[in-house]
Amino acid sequence: FDSATVLRQCALAENIQAAALLVGGKNGLILECVDLITSKMDIEIKDAETALFAATVNEFKDMMNVVHQNFEYDKESRFTPSDGQLHLLWLLEEHVLSVVKYGEFDSPRNTEKLEPVFVGRLCFRAWYSLTHPTHFSESAKWLESWLRKKLQLSDGKSSKRLACAALVRVLLWVDEAGQLDLGDSDEDSILATLLGFDSRFMAELTQACCGLIQSIPPHLADEVMTGMNYFSFEASG
């Protein structure tokens, strides 16, 4: 099987989705989401890749503000998910909402394993990109309702606790652990605010995974565990 030749044929045919499936893993997912955006919006592939993967949430928002100025839509219609957004929902179900093992979180960076947190960040950013600004509020309510149903989330309880933990990591924590600043009051730096999710929904989502270390960034989890060991040692002394 000559993968290089097949990839070249995909490029010549401008079939990016096929190329994404062939590449697979994290790079394939990025390519897949980039194609969903560039096929509907006036944005270069390189810029779309940067927006989805490399930019901070604030940088991503600024980039999308420019792109959305030329975003065509039906002014008379109410919000309904586009084909691209329906595909993103499928990706969320496949790789985020279906997580059932602790080991599915935080695989080494040099692997091509699709982690729920990685997939969630890409998909939610792509969802925002494909939503016209006039539909942000309706989109948030629709997506929140869909997530509640899929998670069976009610009164802060869900049978899918690991999926809730993955969503909390994605929506309430900044992307890069090294940029985490607990004293930063800029709420615009988290995806939950950007997407417009209701604070009660986020509180219930957090409550549903309370106690799961997977709901916080790995480096902070290490600090928490170190602190617990420290205090346990002091108490025993």
Side-chain angles (χ1 to χ4, degrees):
F1 178 69
D2 189 349
S3 59
T5 299
V6 176
L7 275 175
R8 190 177 303 112
Q9 291 299 320
C10 289
L12 292 173
E14 297 184 352
N15 191 340
I16 299 180
Q17 286 295 317
L21 292 174
L22 182 63
V23 171
K26 294 180 179 179
N27 289 333
L29 181 65
I30 293 172
L31 190 58
E32 190 172 354
C33 291
V34 164
D35 179 58
L36 292 176
I37 294 176
T38 55
S39 63
K40 298 295 183 182
M41 309 180 70
D42 184 18
I43 183 173
E44 296 295 327
I45 291 178
K46 185 67 175 179
D47 292 335
E49 181 181 351
T50 299
L52 289 178
F53 181 66
T56 65
V57 172
N58 285 328
E59 291 169 344
F60 167 72
K61 181 181 179 181
D62 290 340
M63 292 178 71
M64 287 302 105
N65 283 341
V66 176
V67 175
H68 282 156
Q69 291 177 5
N70 298 317
F71 191 177
E72 296 183 1
Y73 74 107
D74 184 354
K75 296 181 180 180
E76 304 299 325
S77 67
R78 296 180 60 83
F79 172 78
T80 55
S82 64
D83 290 342
Q85 288 174 318
L86 290 175
H87 185 76
L88 293 171
L89 295 178
W90 176 80
L91 289 172
L92 286 172
E93 280 199 82
E94 188 76 7
H95 300 290
V96 182
L97 304 185
S98 63
V99 58
V100 293
K101 297 179 181 179
Y102 299 110
E104 294 181 64
F105 288 78
D106 306 312
S107 62
R109 290 182 178 273
N110 62 349
T111 72
E112 281 301 301
K113 179 181 178 181
L114 289 178
E115 307 164 90
V117 176
F118 179 87
V119 176
R121 285 187 178 135
L122 280 181
C123 287
F124 282 122
R125 285 192 179 205
W127 176 278
Y128 180 89
S129 301
L130 293 172
T131 304
H132 191 275
T134 58
H135 289 155
F136 281 156
S137 179
E138 289 182 80
S139 168
K141 292 177 181 178
W142 192 99
L143 187 54
E144 179 183 317
S145 177
W146 183 84
L147 287 170
R148 277 187 179 277
K149 180 179 179 181
K150 294 298 180 179
L151 294 168
Q152 300 174 0
L153 178 65
S154 178
D155 297 324
K157 297 179 180 179
S158 169
S159 59
K160 298 184 177 183
R161 298 188 70 226
L162 282 176
C164 291
L167 291 174
V168 166
R169 275 273 300 279
V170 170
L171 297 169
L172 289 181
W173 293 95
V174 294
D175 290 1
E176 296 297 331
Q179 297 176 355
L180 181 63
D181 181 3
L182 296 179
D184 189 358
S185 60
D186 185 6
E187 294 184 352
D188 289 339
S189 62
I190 61 175
L191 267 176
T193 301
L194 179 66
L195 291 166
F197 283 139
D198 182 73
S199 58
R200 179 176 177 178
F201 169 69
M202 293 309 305
E204 288 190 47
L205 194 63
T206 304
Q207 183 180 351
C209 61
C210 183
L212 289 178
I213 204 72
Q214 287 77 14
S215 64
I216 60 178
H219 88 290
L220 189 58
D222 291 340
E223 292 180 15
V224 170
M225 297 305 294
T226 300
M228 289 176 64
N229 291 337
Y230 171 78
F231 288 117
S232 175
F233 173 78
E234 289 293 315
S236 63

